[in-house]
Amino acid sequence: HKQNNMLRHTFSFTNHFRRSILQRHIHSATVTQHHSHSQILSEPYQRFLKGASQLVPSSRITTDPLRTLVYGTDASFYRLIPKIVVDVESEHQVQQLILLARQCNTPITFRAAGTSLSGQACTDSILVRLVPSKWSKCQVHGNDASSIVLQSGVIGGNANAVLKKYGKKIGPDPSSIDACMVGGIIANNSSGMCCGTRDNSYNTLEGLRMVLSDGTVLDTTSAESRFNFANTHSSILSALSDLSQRVRHNPALLAAITRKYKIKNTTGYSINALVDYDDPIDILSHLMVGSEGTLGFISEVKLRTLNDLRHKATSLLLFPDLVSACDAVSPLIDSNAANVVELMDTTCLRSAPHRRVPTEVPEGMSALLIESQGVTQEELKERCSLINKALGSGQKVRVEFTEDAAEAGELWTLRKGLLTTVGALRSPKSSILLEDVAVPTSQLTPFTVDLKKLMFGHGYDARIFGHALDGNLHVLAEQSFHTQTERDRYKHMMDDLCSLVVHKYDGSLKAEHGTGRNIAPFVEMEWGKSGYEVMKEIKNILDPGNLLSPGVIITNNPLLHVENLKDLPVASPIVDKCIECGYCERNCPSRELTVTPRQRIVGWREIQRLRQLLADSPVKDPEMLLRLSLLEDSYRYDGDATCAADGMCSLRCPVFINTGELIKEIRGSERSEQHKRVASLVANHFGVATKLMGGGLMMAQMVGSIVGERFIQGTTKMISKVLGYPLPQWNKKIPAPVRSQVLKTLIAKSDRARIIDTNTESKSAEKVVYFPCCSNRVLGGKYGEGGVIEKAVSVLEKAGYDVIVPRNLEQLCCGMPFASNGFPATSLAKHHELMDALSEASEGKHPILMDMSPCVLQTRMNSSKKSEGCGLNLAVDSIPERVYEPVAFATRYLLPRLEISPDKLEPSVAVHAPCSTKRMSRLEPFKREKPLEDQLIDIAKACAHNVVVSDVPCCGMAGDKGLAFPELAHAAVSISRTLNDPRVSPPPEGFSNSTTCEIGLSANSKVDFRSIFHLLDRVSSPCSPSSREKFLTTTRK
């Protein structure tokens, strides 16, 4: 009766929860579909929408209020909401959409990763985004990798990862290189910390493939394409040639071009191309660099690569004030021995603590981060000596270099994350301004003084950092746009800043971040009338209809830079630090399905803003109510249901924002008291719940074996529609249910180990507390082979361990299923129950093995939390330090005690480190050791001749999430190159340390995944007594 009663309550709760998600999502789709587009879109946009639906799959086109808002957001402080967003998978689609936009006279804007900072990727018209997995071509050319061909969707850091084995890298190295895409890098003429002007995008370009405003494709690396273009577009080439000659015969403009491009400059178009090249096609290709999508679409580039020198030395020099730091730059330039010199002021040093920086940073203290590189170790030492000599004479500074890659990496992580770490210090509700200017390096010190004075005069506490070797400074300041007074303050500051840079220092208003909307009204100020007229003529030649990102670079609106400014409203303390930079997006499993972490934050901020406005208003605006309702409805699926809440976004975020925690908080806020009572009921009868799950799985397996996978999935989907909530989708990769005899045998072995502890023959046996996680107590192995429990016990016994399991095993759980679904209190209660059981079993001395990595992470997370009346005692507090996930345990306790037979080694295997494994590598005590994902690779290398590492950041399973929403796991895994690309020929088997991840990976890739214990058991034998005794002696020491 109790079991039936619990089942009824559980089904009632699940029914209500799933129905609330799916019905509201269906309602959102229905509202969007049945609101006639004539009510939302004007006639030209209706025609575009109709035409686009014939060119691109409907799933790639959206007019939904939530998605247009969040997809339209980039890293700048401008906010425009596109009317239509189209995600493109091919160059042909781009061609057709450009032609369609011309027919409908609807402006169109291109977007890659959306990390640009000047508003160049924003639009209130049509936004065309890349589907990254469809634009991922990365092809090395030449035996020495002298060049590389990249499609626009390749992330810059991924290109460097491909080139690393050749000792090469691409030239541009913006701090966002691990987030930004090649299309944006080229379109903004990105540079960065190392490349300066010599090796930026413009100067390393060897060829470019583009789509022009009339839909024509030109590939400058193809002789045939160049010949055909010359025949069909001779008027364009003639116009560019004529313009080039006019510029060359204008001494004042020619002198300005020569002078201004000696320093970094991305203000306006790259008109130096008119002087640097004679062939009009080469002029055109280099005009595209830095054109910010206003002259055409860049689909592919060929870049000259640079040598990535192996020998590097890094140093952080501290100075009492900013002026002293700036004064040290000139001798460093004269030494010609420093490859990189980065300037950081007081606030920058305070934003990201480092052991080389005082805990209490004195006011005014500034720093230079220096790197020197050499072809050989001897050359590096010589260059470091030159730097010390240069600074030792005048500056009286002794430079202490480190060649330790890990320490240098920490310093560069500090520098690369400054935009977000300093931005996170802003006040709630405020935005962040980031200006990007450059002056001749000889003027760096006086300019920095004037810059600080100017910003202070306008009431800004400016934070200054930048590329000192290039005279390129970034000015970051807190700014609110809530009132007209604040907006006027920003306008006056910009007027004075531009005047200072141009008129006093003849510098660049935009050094490397692109013109965008931010500086478009000031382009003529910097370049003068003749230079600006040349740029307008370039725009007219290549985009006569002014349909490609109108207003960007060229504008008639002198106030464009103070319009459509973006506020960052308060949403939750978990995410309020976010500045919407987009660094997190590449790790998100739903990035090509629904929305990303940045976009979840944007959507939630808008929902909270509207809620607050409606709460404060005595009269409720019907349009605002409708918009809020539509956003909330869409968010339940896009924002909540398809969020894996795995925390992988936090690994890419410089301020460690975990958007998954926000989603869990939202889920928790929606749980009623009835929901909580049902969750507690399940927790209190957890053994019964797992048996019911096992029974359901057995039934699904039986039916599936008879009628087939496709039939049972179709039936499940049909039932889901009838019931109104998504049922878990069974697939043939789900293991068979664990046999009850397995657990009985395990418990019996444990009982014997406890009983014979006093037996003299057993005193030498080491003991291990083994906790089989609930997933592995439900899911067994594939038919004909054992499950995780059998394999783990087999390996433990081979290693000579007596296995002990905690008492009341079937009732125990780490609490993760409850935490993920918005029941933190229930999760903590289960955690404490488990900790008490583990404490008793381990007797305070035995190591503890959990056979799934996510459960160990949850244990550590719960151990860091305290709840009222539910604190941990000291004995239990020490438990998490002795709890190991499979990889760490195998490295420390198994491999030294196992014989790996060479004749048993697997030919080739794949490995995948789950999100939890990657996240734990950043936690104590693991962060003091080799990263767990690297340890997993090492284990695989000990067991196989060849190891392929999965390139999937997160598989999207998130426990049962990937079963209830299989489209999430499919979106995350199917795009993998290492596991699905037929050109790579992935290995037949893969190994991991999370059963649910293994299901998702197996179901959506060409590789069949199992637990790492399967691999260890397959290739190992018990080691010799002498080897074991040696290990025991070492361990005791």
Side-chain angles (χ1 to χ4, degrees), residues 858-887:
Q858 185 64 43
T859 297
R860 292 185 174 275
M861 291 172 61
N862 276 340
S863 294
S864 67
K865 300 175 183 177
K866 300 286 183 181
S867 60
E868 187 174 348
C870 208
L872 296 176
N873 58 50
L874 291 177
V876 178
D877 252 342
S878 66
I879 286 291
E881 289 293 318
R882 288 182 284 114
V883 173
Y884 292 87
E885 57 86 62
V887 169

PDB file of all heavy atoms in Angstrom, residues 858-887:
ATOM      1  N   GLN A 858      28.977  16.322  -6.819  1.00  0.00           N
ATOM      2  CA  GLN A 858      27.829  16.738  -6.007  1.00  0.00           C
ATOM      3  C   GLN A 858      28.142  16.623  -4.519  1.00  0.00           C
ATOM      4  O   GLN A 858      27.767  17.489  -3.717  1.00  0.00           O
ATOM      5  CB  GLN A 858      26.609  15.875  -6.348  1.00  0.00           C
ATOM      6  CG  GLN A 858      25.329  16.296  -5.639  1.00  0.00           C
ATOM      7  CD  GLN A 858      24.867  17.676  -6.055  1.00  0.00           C
ATOM      8  OE1 GLN A 858      24.894  18.011  -7.243  1.00  0.00           O
ATOM      9  NE2 GLN A 858      24.446  18.486  -5.096  1.00  0.00           N
ATOM     10  N   THR A 859      28.860  15.568  -4.148  1.00  0.00           N
ATOM     11  CA  THR A 859      29.251  15.398  -2.750  1.00  0.00           C
ATOM     12  C   THR A 859      30.119  16.554  -2.286  1.00  0.00           C
ATOM     13  O   THR A 859      29.930  17.099  -1.187  1.00  0.00           O
ATOM     14  CB  THR A 859      30.002  14.068  -2.582  1.00  0.00           C
ATOM     15  OG1 THR A 859      29.128  12.985  -2.910  1.00  0.00           O
ATOM     16  CG2 THR A 859      30.499  13.896  -1.162  1.00  0.00           C
ATOM     17  N   ARG A 860      31.057  16.952  -3.109  1.00  0.00           N
ATOM     18  CA  ARG A 860      31.935  18.058  -2.735  1.00  0.00           C
ATOM     19  C   ARG A 860      31.170  19.377  -2.691  1.00  0.00           C
ATOM     20  O   ARG A 860      31.434  20.226  -1.831  1.00  0.00           O
ATOM     21  CB  ARG A 860      33.111  18.144  -3.705  1.00  0.00           C
ATOM     22  CG  ARG A 860      34.032  16.951  -3.569  1.00  0.00           C
ATOM     23  CD  ARG A 860      35.276  17.059  -4.438  1.00  0.00           C
ATOM     24  NE  ARG A 860      36.160  15.939  -4.115  1.00  0.00           N
ATOM     25  CZ  ARG A 860      37.028  15.934  -3.132  1.00  0.00           C
ATOM     26  NH1 ARG A 860      37.139  16.995  -2.353  1.00  0.00           N
ATOM     27  NH2 ARG A 860      37.792  14.883  -2.893  1.00  0.00           N
ATOM     28  N   MET A 861      30.249  19.572  -3.612  1.00  0.00           N
ATOM     29  CA  MET A 861      29.458  20.805  -3.609  1.00  0.00           C
ATOM     30  C   MET A 861      28.567  20.871  -2.370  1.00  0.00           C
ATOM     31  O   MET A 861      28.455  21.913  -1.715  1.00  0.00           O
ATOM     32  CB  MET A 861      28.619  20.889  -4.890  1.00  0.00           C
ATOM     33  CG  MET A 861      29.444  21.104  -6.149  1.00  0.00           C
ATOM     34  SD  MET A 861      28.466  20.961  -7.657  1.00  0.00           S
ATOM     35  CE  MET A 861      27.284  22.290  -7.420  1.00  0.00           C
ATOM     36  N   ASN A 862      27.913  19.752  -2.054  1.00  0.00           N
ATOM     37  CA  ASN A 862      27.053  19.741  -0.867  1.00  0.00           C
ATOM     38  C   ASN A 862      27.866  19.902   0.410  1.00  0.00           C
ATOM     39  O   ASN A 862      27.394  20.487   1.387  1.00  0.00           O
ATOM     40  CB  ASN A 862      26.246  18.442  -0.810  1.00  0.00           C
ATOM     41  CG  ASN A 862      24.978  18.516  -1.642  1.00  0.00           C
ATOM     42  OD1 ASN A 862      24.500  19.605  -1.965  1.00  0.00           O
ATOM     43  ND2 ASN A 862      24.432  17.370  -2.003  1.00  0.00           N
ATOM     44  N   SER A 863      29.085  19.380   0.418  1.00  0.00           N
ATOM     45  CA  SER A 863      29.926  19.493   1.611  1.00  0.00           C
ATOM     46  C   SER A 863      30.338  20.928   1.874  1.00  0.00           C
ATOM     47  O   SER A 863      30.687  21.284   2.999  1.00  0.00           O
ATOM     48  CB  SER A 863      31.172  18.625   1.462  1.00  0.00           C
ATOM     49  OG  SER A 863      30.826  17.262   1.434  1.00  0.00           O
ATOM     50  N   SER A 864      30.315  21.751   0.821  1.00  0.00           N
ATOM     51  CA  SER A 864      30.691  23.152   1.002  1.00  0.00           C
ATOM     52  C   SER A 864      29.518  24.002   1.451  1.00  0.00           C
ATOM     53  O   SER A 864      29.649  25.189   1.690  1.00  0.00           O
ATOM     54  CB  SER A 864      31.244  23.719  -0.311  1.00  0.00           C
ATOM     55  OG  SER A 864      30.216  23.782  -1.293  1.00  0.00           O
ATOM     56  N   LYS A 865      28.327  23.382   1.541  1.00  0.00           N
ATOM     57  CA  LYS A 865      27.128  24.110   1.932  1.00  0.00           C
ATOM     58  C   LYS A 865      26.733  23.757   3.361  1.00  0.00           C
ATOM     59  O   LYS A 865      26.984  22.682   3.854  1.00  0.00           O
ATOM     60  CB  LYS A 865      25.965  23.780   0.990  1.00  0.00           C
ATOM     61  CG  LYS A 865      26.236  24.123  -0.471  1.00  0.00           C
ATOM     62  CD  LYS A 865      25.102  23.654  -1.351  1.00  0.00           C
ATOM     63  CE  LYS A 865      25.397  23.936  -2.820  1.00  0.00           C
ATOM     64  NZ  LYS A 865      24.344  23.425  -3.703  1.00  0.00           N
ATOM     65  N   LYS A 866      26.074  24.675   4.009  1.00  0.00           N
ATOM     66  CA  LYS A 866      25.521  24.433   5.341  1.00  0.00           C
ATOM     67  C   LYS A 866      24.042  24.811   5.292  1.00  0.00           C
ATOM     68  O   LYS A 866      23.666  25.807   4.694  1.00  0.00           O
ATOM     69  CB  LYS A 866      26.222  25.297   6.394  1.00  0.00           C
ATOM     70  CG  LYS A 866      27.723  25.054   6.494  1.00  0.00           C
ATOM     71  CD  LYS A 866      28.041  23.754   7.177  1.00  0.00           C
ATOM     72  CE  LYS A 866      29.545  23.569   7.326  1.00  0.00           C
ATOM     73  NZ  LYS A 866      29.881  22.311   7.972  1.00  0.00           N
ATOM     74  N   SER A 867      23.229  24.010   5.919  1.00  0.00           N
ATOM     75  CA  SER A 867      21.823  24.370   6.029  1.00  0.00           C
ATOM     76  C   SER A 867      21.457  24.412   7.509  1.00  0.00           C
ATOM     77  O   SER A 867      22.030  23.698   8.323  1.00  0.00           O
ATOM     78  CB  SER A 867      20.943  23.351   5.304  1.00  0.00           C
ATOM     79  OG  SER A 867      21.123  22.070   5.863  1.00  0.00           O
ATOM     80  N   GLU A 868      20.506  25.249   7.849  1.00  0.00           N
ATOM     81  CA  GLU A 868      20.156  25.455   9.256  1.00  0.00           C
ATOM     82  C   GLU A 868      19.732  24.134   9.903  1.00  0.00           C
ATOM     83  O   GLU A 868      18.878  23.426   9.403  1.00  0.00           O
ATOM     84  CB  GLU A 868      19.019  26.479   9.357  1.00  0.00           C
ATOM     85  CG  GLU A 868      18.723  26.877  10.788  1.00  0.00           C
ATOM     86  CD  GLU A 868      17.697  27.982  10.843  1.00  0.00           C
ATOM     87  OE1 GLU A 868      17.394  28.575   9.795  1.00  0.00           O
ATOM     88  OE2 GLU A 868      17.194  28.249  11.937  1.00  0.00           O
ATOM     89  N   GLY A 869      20.377  23.834  11.014  1.00  0.00           N
ATOM     90  CA  GLY A 869      20.042  22.594  11.715  1.00  0.00           C
ATOM     91  C   GLY A 869      20.545  21.352  11.025  1.00  0.00           C
ATOM     92  O   GLY A 869      20.173  20.248  11.372  1.00  0.00           O
ATOM     93  N   CYS A 870      21.406  21.532  10.014  1.00  0.00           N
ATOM     94  CA  CYS A 870      21.858  20.358   9.254  1.00  0.00           C
ATOM     95  C   CYS A 870      23.347  20.453   8.980  1.00  0.00           C
ATOM     96  O   CYS A 870      23.821  20.051   7.932  1.00  0.00           O
ATOM     97  CB  CYS A 870      21.083  20.277   7.936  1.00  0.00           C
ATOM     98  SG  CYS A 870      20.900  18.606   7.303  1.00  0.00           S
ATOM     99  N   GLY A 871      24.114  21.007   9.924  1.00  0.00           N
ATOM    100  CA  GLY A 871      25.554  21.128   9.738  1.00  0.00           C
ATOM    101  C   GLY A 871      26.237  19.786   9.858  1.00  0.00           C
ATOM    102  O   GLY A 871      25.681  18.816  10.355  1.00  0.00           O
ATOM    103  N   LEU A 872      27.470  19.735   9.414  1.00  0.00           N
ATOM    104  CA  LEU A 872      28.230  18.493   9.456  1.00  0.00           C
ATOM    105  C   LEU A 872      29.152  18.485  10.664  1.00  0.00           C
ATOM    106  O   LEU A 872      29.719  19.511  11.030  1.00  0.00           O
ATOM    107  CB  LEU A 872      29.074  18.361   8.181  1.00  0.00           C
ATOM    108  CG  LEU A 872      28.306  18.240   6.870  1.00  0.00           C
ATOM    109  CD1 LEU A 872      29.309  18.211   5.731  1.00  0.00           C
ATOM    110  CD2 LEU A 872      27.468  16.994   6.848  1.00  0.00           C
ATOM    111  N   ASN A 873      29.330  17.308  11.273  1.00  0.00           N
ATOM    112  CA  ASN A 873      30.310  17.220  12.348  1.00  0.00           C
ATOM    113  C   ASN A 873      31.707  17.084  11.754  1.00  0.00           C
ATOM    114  O   ASN A 873      31.871  16.888  10.557  1.00  0.00           O
ATOM    115  CB  ASN A 873      29.990  16.047  13.286  1.00  0.00           C
ATOM    116  CG  ASN A 873      29.954  14.718  12.538  1.00  0.00           C
ATOM    117  OD1 ASN A 873      30.871  14.398  11.801  1.00  0.00           O
ATOM    118  ND2 ASN A 873      28.890  13.955  12.740  1.00  0.00           N
ATOM    119  N   LEU A 874      32.712  17.215  12.574  1.00  0.00           N
ATOM    120  CA  LEU A 874      34.085  17.233  12.071  1.00  0.00           C
ATOM    121  C   LEU A 874      34.452  15.940  11.368  1.00  0.00           C
ATOM    122  O   LEU A 874      35.142  15.940  10.357  1.00  0.00           O
ATOM    123  CB  LEU A 874      35.056  17.504  13.227  1.00  0.00           C
ATOM    124  CG  LEU A 874      34.989  18.923  13.810  1.00  0.00           C
ATOM    125  CD1 LEU A 874      35.941  19.039  14.990  1.00  0.00           C
ATOM    126  CD2 LEU A 874      35.357  19.953  12.755  1.00  0.00           C
ATOM    127  N   ALA A 875      34.008  14.816  11.903  1.00  0.00           N
ATOM    128  CA  ALA A 875      34.359  13.526  11.301  1.00  0.00           C
ATOM    129  C   ALA A 875      33.808  13.432   9.884  1.00  0.00           C
ATOM    130  O   ALA A 875      34.483  13.008   8.956  1.00  0.00           O
ATOM    131  CB  ALA A 875      33.825  12.386  12.160  1.00  0.00           C
ATOM    132  N   VAL A 876      32.567  13.849   9.731  1.00  0.00           N
ATOM    133  CA  VAL A 876      31.951  13.774   8.408  1.00  0.00           C
ATOM    134  C   VAL A 876      32.517  14.840   7.479  1.00  0.00           C
ATOM    135  O   VAL A 876      32.652  14.650   6.282  1.00  0.00           O
ATOM    136  CB  VAL A 876      30.419  13.916   8.531  1.00  0.00           C
ATOM    137  CG1 VAL A 876      29.766  13.884   7.167  1.00  0.00           C
ATOM    138  CG2 VAL A 876      29.858  12.784   9.379  1.00  0.00           C
ATOM    139  N   ASP A 877      32.881  16.000   8.051  1.00  0.00           N
ATOM    140  CA  ASP A 877      33.455  17.069   7.234  1.00  0.00           C
ATOM    141  C   ASP A 877      34.703  16.616   6.495  1.00  0.00           C
ATOM    142  O   ASP A 877      35.016  17.105   5.425  1.00  0.00           O
ATOM    143  CB  ASP A 877      33.803  18.264   8.114  1.00  0.00           C
ATOM    144  CG  ASP A 877      32.852  19.433   7.892  1.00  0.00           C
ATOM    145  OD1 ASP A 877      32.170  19.458   6.856  1.00  0.00           O
ATOM    146  OD2 ASP A 877      32.815  20.295   8.762  1.00  0.00           O
ATOM    147  N   SER A 878      35.458  15.694   7.100  1.00  0.00           N
ATOM    148  CA  SER A 878      36.700  15.239   6.480  1.00  0.00           C
ATOM    149  C   SER A 878      36.474  14.183   5.420  1.00  0.00           C
ATOM    150  O   SER A 878      37.395  13.829   4.689  1.00  0.00           O
ATOM    151  CB  SER A 878      37.638  14.685   7.556  1.00  0.00           C
ATOM    152  OG  SER A 878      37.077  13.512   8.127  1.00  0.00           O
ATOM    153  N   ILE A 879      35.261  13.675   5.306  1.00  0.00           N
ATOM    154  CA  ILE A 879      34.970  12.598   4.366  1.00  0.00           C
ATOM    155  C   ILE A 879      35.260  12.988   2.909  1.00  0.00           C
ATOM    156  O   ILE A 879      35.914  12.229   2.185  1.00  0.00           O
ATOM    157  CB  ILE A 879      33.503  12.132   4.515  1.00  0.00           C
ATOM    158  CG1 ILE A 879      33.333  11.320   5.793  1.00  0.00           C
ATOM    159  CG2 ILE A 879      33.064  11.300   3.330  1.00  0.00           C
ATOM    160  CD1 ILE A 879      34.037   9.985   5.747  1.00  0.00           C
ATOM    161  N   PRO A 880      34.802  14.144   2.408  1.00  0.00           N
ATOM    162  CA  PRO A 880      35.001  14.434   0.988  1.00  0.00           C
ATOM    163  C   PRO A 880      36.453  14.386   0.545  1.00  0.00           C
ATOM    164  O   PRO A 880      36.741  14.082  -0.607  1.00  0.00           O
ATOM    165  CB  PRO A 880      34.418  15.848   0.849  1.00  0.00           C
ATOM    166  CG  PRO A 880      33.398  15.935   1.917  1.00  0.00           C
ATOM    167  CD  PRO A 880      33.966  15.164   3.061  1.00  0.00           C
ATOM    168  N   GLU A 881      37.402  14.668   1.435  1.00  0.00           N
ATOM    169  CA  GLU A 881      38.807  14.600   1.070  1.00  0.00           C
ATOM    170  C   GLU A 881      39.219  13.172   0.723  1.00  0.00           C
ATOM    171  O   GLU A 881      40.186  12.962   0.004  1.00  0.00           O
ATOM    172  CB  GLU A 881      39.674  15.129   2.216  1.00  0.00           C
ATOM    173  CG  GLU A 881      39.575  16.637   2.418  1.00  0.00           C
ATOM    174  CD  GLU A 881      40.154  17.407   1.258  1.00  0.00           C
ATOM    175  OE1 GLU A 881      41.216  17.010   0.753  1.00  0.00           O
ATOM    176  OE2 GLU A 881      39.543  18.408   0.828  1.00  0.00           O
ATOM    177  N   ARG A 882      38.521  12.188   1.262  1.00  0.00           N
ATOM    178  CA  ARG A 882      38.863  10.790   1.022  1.00  0.00           C
ATOM    179  C   ARG A 882      37.928  10.127   0.019  1.00  0.00           C
ATOM    180  O   ARG A 882      37.990   8.929  -0.187  1.00  0.00           O
ATOM    181  CB  ARG A 882      38.861  10.018   2.351  1.00  0.00           C
ATOM    182  CG  ARG A 882      40.067  10.378   3.234  1.00  0.00           C
ATOM    183  CD  ARG A 882      40.092   9.588   4.533  1.00  0.00           C
ATOM    184  NE  ARG A 882      39.121  10.104   5.489  1.00  0.00           N
ATOM    185  CZ  ARG A 882      38.050   9.437   5.909  1.00  0.00           C
ATOM    186  NH1 ARG A 882      37.802   8.235   5.443  1.00  0.00           N
ATOM    187  NH2 ARG A 882      37.232   9.973   6.786  1.00  0.00           N
ATOM    188  N   VAL A 883      37.016  10.912  -0.568  1.00  0.00           N
ATOM    189  CA  VAL A 883      36.108  10.379  -1.582  1.00  0.00           C
ATOM    190  C   VAL A 883      36.746  10.579  -2.961  1.00  0.00           C
ATOM    191  O   VAL A 883      37.111  11.692  -3.326  1.00  0.00           O
ATOM    192  CB  VAL A 883      34.740  11.078  -1.529  1.00  0.00           C
ATOM    193  CG1 VAL A 883      33.880  10.632  -2.703  1.00  0.00           C
ATOM    194  CG2 VAL A 883      34.037  10.768  -0.221  1.00  0.00           C
ATOM    195  N   TYR A 884      36.889   9.503  -3.702  1.00  0.00           N
ATOM    196  CA  TYR A 884      37.530   9.558  -5.009  1.00  0.00           C
ATOM    197  C   TYR A 884      36.548   9.181  -6.104  1.00  0.00           C
ATOM    198  O   TYR A 884      35.714   8.293  -5.932  1.00  0.00           O
ATOM    199  CB  TYR A 884      38.716   8.592  -5.064  1.00  0.00           C
ATOM    200  CG  TYR A 884      39.871   8.986  -4.171  1.00  0.00           C
ATOM    201  CD1 TYR A 884      39.901   8.574  -2.844  1.00  0.00           C
ATOM    202  CD2 TYR A 884      40.912   9.761  -4.652  1.00  0.00           C
ATOM    203  CE1 TYR A 884      40.958   8.927  -2.012  1.00  0.00           C
ATOM    204  CE2 TYR A 884      41.983  10.119  -3.834  1.00  0.00           C
ATOM    205  CZ  TYR A 884      41.999   9.707  -2.516  1.00  0.00           C
ATOM    206  OH  TYR A 884      43.038  10.062  -1.702  1.00  0.00           O
ATOM    207  N   GLU A 885      36.682   9.880  -7.225  1.00  0.00           N
ATOM    208  CA  GLU A 885      35.957   9.435  -8.409  1.00  0.00           C
ATOM    209  C   GLU A 885      36.847   8.427  -9.134  1.00  0.00           C
ATOM    210  O   GLU A 885      38.027   8.267  -8.793  1.00  0.00           O
ATOM    211  CB  GLU A 885      35.542  10.632  -9.268  1.00  0.00           C
ATOM    212  CG  GLU A 885      36.668  11.526  -9.718  1.00  0.00           C
ATOM    213  CD  GLU A 885      37.287  11.021 -10.990  1.00  0.00           C
ATOM    214  OE1 GLU A 885      36.601  10.943 -12.006  1.00  0.00           O
ATOM    215  OE2 GLU A 885      38.489  10.677 -10.959  1.00  0.00           O
ATOM    216  N   PRO A 886      36.321   7.694 -10.123  1.00  0.00           N
ATOM    217  CA  PRO A 886      37.059   6.556 -10.694  1.00  0.00           C
ATOM    218  C   PRO A 886      38.451   6.883 -11.214  1.00  0.00           C
ATOM    219  O   PRO A 886      39.382   6.090 -11.023  1.00  0.00           O
ATOM    220  CB  PRO A 886      36.134   6.086 -11.828  1.00  0.00           C
ATOM    221  CG  PRO A 886      34.768   6.453 -11.357  1.00  0.00           C
ATOM    222  CD  PRO A 886      34.934   7.762 -10.638  1.00  0.00           C
ATOM    223  N   VAL A 887      38.623   8.014 -11.882  1.00  0.00           N
ATOM    224  CA  VAL A 887      39.919   8.316 -12.495  1.00  0.00           C
ATOM    225  C   VAL A 887      40.980   8.560 -11.424  1.00  0.00           C
ATOM    226  O   VAL A 887      42.075   7.985 -11.467  1.00  0.00           O
ATOM    227  CB  VAL A 887      39.799   9.539 -13.424  1.00  0.00           C
ATOM    228  CG1 VAL A 887      41.174  10.030 -13.852  1.00  0.00           C
ATOM    229  CG2 VAL A 887      38.963   9.184 -14.643  1.00  0.00           C
TER     230      VAL A 887
END
